């Protein structure tokens, strides 16, 4: 069964460093998302992406964040200068064009630890 | 702005009991409601998705219902097992647009006591 994959599973970085989190969505999906979950808190929407453009972003997704689809398979989230409060689990998700169910499929997550 | 609430935050029940988890949402104009399971430190496993045109969905021992008018969804787990111990999250989606985000609740941490 097709699945969303994410790498790395765990990333440790120093405050102020740039990180890139990678996702490979399900191959025929066209809509992509990033969510994050700070430890003990709810899963929060960051950004949605379609047709090489951001469709919607939350107030969390400030100028330190960027997304891109550099090739036909990867979808990346870049944090330019990490802060301690960026420590969280980051989830990538994808789905197909509206097909009735419009179900989003999630990857296993990348745990980001900022020291 | 859609707000999703799950009460209680934690629940412990003896093995074998049936149980109900609750999810409330403020905007009744939702398109679908998805239930997820999350094991500690792990990702999100989709359990059930109910579209607004449906009232319930079943998968094995799980049954999810949706009442849009009251802004509520429930997840019923029959004959609970220790392996059901996890955090259960519900998430609402407002439209059927392909890029519509999910709004998550805070989750209910379920412990099944052997």
């Amino acid at each position: 069964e097709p699945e969303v994959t994410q790498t790395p599973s765990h990333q440790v970085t120093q405050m102020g460093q740039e990180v890139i989190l990678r996702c490979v969505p399900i191959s025929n999906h066209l809509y992509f998302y990033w969510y994050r979950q700070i430890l003990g808190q709810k899963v929060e929407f960051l950004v949605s992406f379609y047709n090489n453009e951001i469709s919607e972003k939350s107030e969390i997704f400030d100028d330190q964040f960027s997304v891109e689809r550099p090739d036909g398979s990867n979808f990346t989230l870049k944090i330019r200068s990490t802060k301690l409060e960026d420590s969280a689990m980051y989830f990538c998700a994808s789905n197909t064009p509206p097909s009735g169910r419009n179900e989003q499929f999630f990857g296993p997550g990348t745990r980001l630890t900022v020291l | 702005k859609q707000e999703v609430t799950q009460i209680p935050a934690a629940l412990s029940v003896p093995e074998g009991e049936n149980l109900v988890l609750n999810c409330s949402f403020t905007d009744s104009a939702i398109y679908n409601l998805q239930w997820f399971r999350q094991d500690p430190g792990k990702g999100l496993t989709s359990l059930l998705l109910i579209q607004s045109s449906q009232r319930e969905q079943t998968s094995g021992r799980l049954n999810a219902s949706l009442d849009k008018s009251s802004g509520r969804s429930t997840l019923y787990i029959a004959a609970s097992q220790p392996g059901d111990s996890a955090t259960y999250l519900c998430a609402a989606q407002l439209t059927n647009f392909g890029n519509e985000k999910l709004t998550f609740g805070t989750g209910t941490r379920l412990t099944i006591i052997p």
Side-chain angles (χ1 to χ4, degrees):
Chain A
E1 185 174 327
E3 57 183 20
V4 178
T5 59
Q6 291 185 242
T7 54
S9 57
H10 191 188
Q11 173 98 41
V12 181
T13 190
Q14 296 289 326
M15 190 169 56
Q17 294 297 303
E18 174 184 286
V19 295
I20 297 176
L21 310 183
R22 290 183 168 78
C23 168
V24 179
I26 294 172
S27 62
N28 65 336
H29 285 186
L30 299 179
Y31 299 88
F32 315 115
Y33 312 81
W34 284 101
Y35 294 83
R36 80 170 186 191
Q37 184 180 34
I38 295 171
L39 186 64
Q41 298 186 23
K42 64 169 64 178
V43 177
E44 302 171 290
F45 168 76
L46 291 178
V47 65
S48 59
F49 190 86
Y50 169 70
N51 200 26
N52 283 320
E53 290 183 346
I54 290 175
S55 303
E56 183 180 358
K57 58 184 180 179
S58 71
E59 57 198 25
I60 303 168
F61 194 90
D62 61 22
D63 292 343
Q64 292 298 311
F65 291 89
S66 63
V67 290
E68 72 174 349
R69 190 155 160 81
D71 52 43
S73 60
N74 289 285
F75 178 50
T76 62
L77 174 69
K78 181 193 290 187
I79 309 175
R80 250 180 284 281
S81 177
T82 50
K83 309 185 193 72
L84 295 176
E85 54 265 37
D86 293 327
S87 294
M89 183 77 96
Y90 287 81
F91 295 107
C92 172
S94 69
N95 66 339
T96 61
S99 60
R101 286 174 55 83
N102 210 21
E103 182 175 2
Q104 291 186 18
F105 295 84
F106 281 76
T110 292
R111 179 173 300 283
L112 176 65
T113 302
V114 182
L115 302 176
Chain B
K1 182 184 171 188
Q2 178 75 275
E3 299 284 343
V4 180
T5 307
Q6 292 183 252
I7 295 173
L11 180 67
S12 294
V13 299
E15 180 179 359
E17 285 199 1
N18 304 324
L19 60 100
V20 174
L21 305 180
N22 297 298
C23 172
S24 299
F25 44 91
T26 53
D27 190 339
S28 63
I30 66 168
Y31 182 71
N32 66 34
L33 194 294
Q34 211 167 336
W35 281 93
F36 295 86
R37 169 186 172 134
Q38 185 176 33
D39 292 289
K42 301 295 184 182
L44 306 174
T45 301
S46 181
L47 298 174
L48 288 164
L49 181 148
I50 315 175
Q51 295 175 250
S52 59
S53 57
Q54 302 168 320
R55 289 194 63 85
E56 62 179 58
Q57 282 285 304
T58 298
S59 176
R61 294 183 294 108
L62 305 180
N63 176 277
S65 68
L66 176 64
D67 184 345
K68 285 182 57 177
S69 61
S70 67
R72 292 185 60 195
S73 177
T74 60
L75 180 67
Y76 174 84
I77 302 177
S80 57
Q81 302 170 357
D84 295 331
S85 297
T87 296
Y88 291 80
L89 306 174
C90 65
Q93 191 172 44
L94 272 181
T95 75
N96 70 334
F97 297 153
N99 57 355
E100 182 64 45
K101 65 181 179 288
L102 292 175
T103 301
F104 283 82
T106 45
T108 294
R109 188 172 69 252
L110 176 66
T111 303
I112 305 300
I113 305 163

